[in-house]
Amino acid sequence: MATTLVKQAAAPVDTAQYAARIDHVSKSFGRPGAQQLVLDDISIDVAPGEFVTLLGASGCGKSTLLNLVAGLDRPSAGTIDVPGGRPALMFQEHALFPWLTAGKNIELALKMRGMAKSERRGEAERLLQLVRLGGAFGKRVHELSGGMRQRVALARALAQDSRLLLMDEPFAALDAITRDVLHEELTRIWSETSVSVLFVTHNVREAVRLAERVVLLSSRPGRIAREWKVGIPQPRRIEDSAVADLSVEITEQLRGEIRRHGQH
Ligand SMILES: Nc1ncnc2c1ncn2[C@@H]1O[C@H](COP(=O)(O)OP(=O)(O)OP(=O)(O)O)[C@@H](O)[C@H]1O
Ligand SMILES: [Mg+2]
């Protein structure tokens, strides 16, 4: 405890040692007297530039925790600190505005960030190129495939220029091949920028494919069951044997958690 305090005191405010600090966070829902404890004493630091996946069974509180980090809800106990400002969010559903084109969806995020009108078009084009959708600027949302929509959603999240990207099962609704391609894109973009990522999934392979660190949550209430540093060099592929081996080990633990809580 003492060393932590000394470290914090020595660090200037704008060069924080973490992109997000989740400190002894608990969350309950319901009325007083009939409360359901969903998250119990969760502490996670996401380092600047780190890629962390949060893994757990359905209903264990992953989205709840991400929403707390996003500032959409408040913890019942504990604190959350995101020193780099408002994080960018990406959900399973793309949440694009259907009446705007792909490009205009991104321009809107740039506008909300305060970017001058004259610069927005060029920047939106650049972001679409980054997610390999150059040429899709004028396409309406309904003209895009599911994978293309998620790419636009990723470009829009990047348009916010946040230091922290929060992703809640963003590729869960996609077919395996499209998901594979988007894993590659995300890994490339992450390694080319200094963005930190907190990525929620219940897919073990996906967690290991992407992350530098996998944090496993138990269920009812969600607690940190275990975490793994993933030392496998990037770029990885989901079918790599090292990814498979670690996935087997983590799946065993996850099964144990699910058995213990009688789910599925
Ligand atoms: N606003 C709310 N009010 C009451 N209960 C809630 C609320 N939000 C979530 N819960 C409950 O909290 C628990 C965790 O939900 P959460 O959505 O965080 O799970 P999850 O891990 O994201 O699941 P999934 O993998 O299915 O998305 C569930 O039992 C859910 O019913
Ligand atoms: Mg969820």
Side-chain angles (χ1 to χ4, degrees):
M1 281 312 248
T3 49
T4 311
L5 286 175
V6 170
K7 267 193 200 163
Q8 282 181 341
V13 176
D14 59 347
T15 55
Q17 296 148 357
Y18 50 85
R21 168 160 287 176
I22 302 164
D23 194 18
H24 296 290
V25 162
S26 297
K27 179 70 181 172
S28 302
F29 290 111
R31 295 192 188 135
Q35 289 206 320
Q36 181 199 2
L37 180 64
V38 170
L39 293 171
D40 186 22
D41 197 23
I42 307 276
S43 294
I44 304 169
D45 275 9
V46 180
E50 191 180 22
F51 198 130
V52 177
T53 50
L54 207 55
L55 179 70
S58 184
C60 77
K62 303 181 295 296
S63 296
T64 301
L65 185 56
L66 217 64
N67 288 344
L68 294 175
V69 179
L72 300 175
D73 200 355
R74 298 167 71 90
S76 308
T79 57
I80 292 185
D81 186 21
V82 181
R86 183 182 282 268
L89 279 169
M90 189 177 164
F91 299 105
Q92 182 171 352
E93 296 297 328
H94 58 74
L96 297 169
F97 295 116
W99 59 89
L100 295 178
T101 61
K104 291 291 178 192
N105 265 285
I106 298 168
E107 280 194 9
L108 184 60
L110 295 170
K111 181 179 178 183
M112 289 171 74
R113 182 181 127 192
M115 183 177 277
K117 192 165 194 237
S118 57
E119 292 171 33
R120 284 181 220 149
R121 170 84 195 215
E123 179 62 5
E125 302 263 19
R126 188 189 72 79
L127 287 163
L128 282 170
Q129 301 264 354
L130 192 68
V131 296
R132 303 207 200 268
L133 267 187
F137 190 96
K139 288 261 196 308
R140 292 207 176 261
V141 172
H142 72 265
E143 295 178 280
L144 304 171
S145 71
M148 291 162 98
R149 288 174 198 179
Q150 287 308 82
R151 281 171 196 242
V152 177
L154 177 57
R156 188 181 57 174
L158 295 170
Q160 295 172 46
D161 201 27
S162 300
R163 298 218 217 139
L164 178 64
L165 181 54
L166 303 175
M167 307 183 86
D168 193 353
E169 311 212 36
F171 309 139
L174 304 176
D175 66 86
I177 306 280
T178 308
R179 190 164 57 221
D180 209 30
V181 172
L182 284 171
H183 285 162
E184 272 177 43
E185 302 299 345
L186 178 59
T187 308
R188 179 178 58 80
I189 291 164
W190 166 71
S191 62
E192 285 173 4
T193 61
S194 56
V195 73
S196 314
V197 183
L198 186 55
F199 186 108
V200 159
T201 182
H202 57 246
N203 182 324
V204 181
R205 283 268 192 148
E206 177 172 64
V208 175
R209 157 70 184 85
L210 291 171
E212 294 181 291
R213 188 152 57 98
V214 177
V215 178
L216 178 66
L217 288 187
S218 66
S219 303
R220 295 185 185 178
R223 294 190 177 115
I224 294 183
R226 217 184 126 177
E227 67 171 63
W228 290 262
K229 289 249 179 215
V230 185
I232 308 162
Q234 293 280 14
R236 302 168 195 153
R237 299 201 62 87
I238 207 152
E239 64 272 16
D240 285 347
S241 58
V243 171
D245 290 349
L246 183 54
S247 298
V248 168
E249 181 186 330
I250 295 176
T251 302
E252 274 303 304
Q253 289 266 332
L254 183 56
R255 282 216 183 100
E257 290 302 327
I258 291 170
R259 262 199 306 272
R260 219 186 328 278
H261 299 279
Q263 292 192 333
H264 304 291

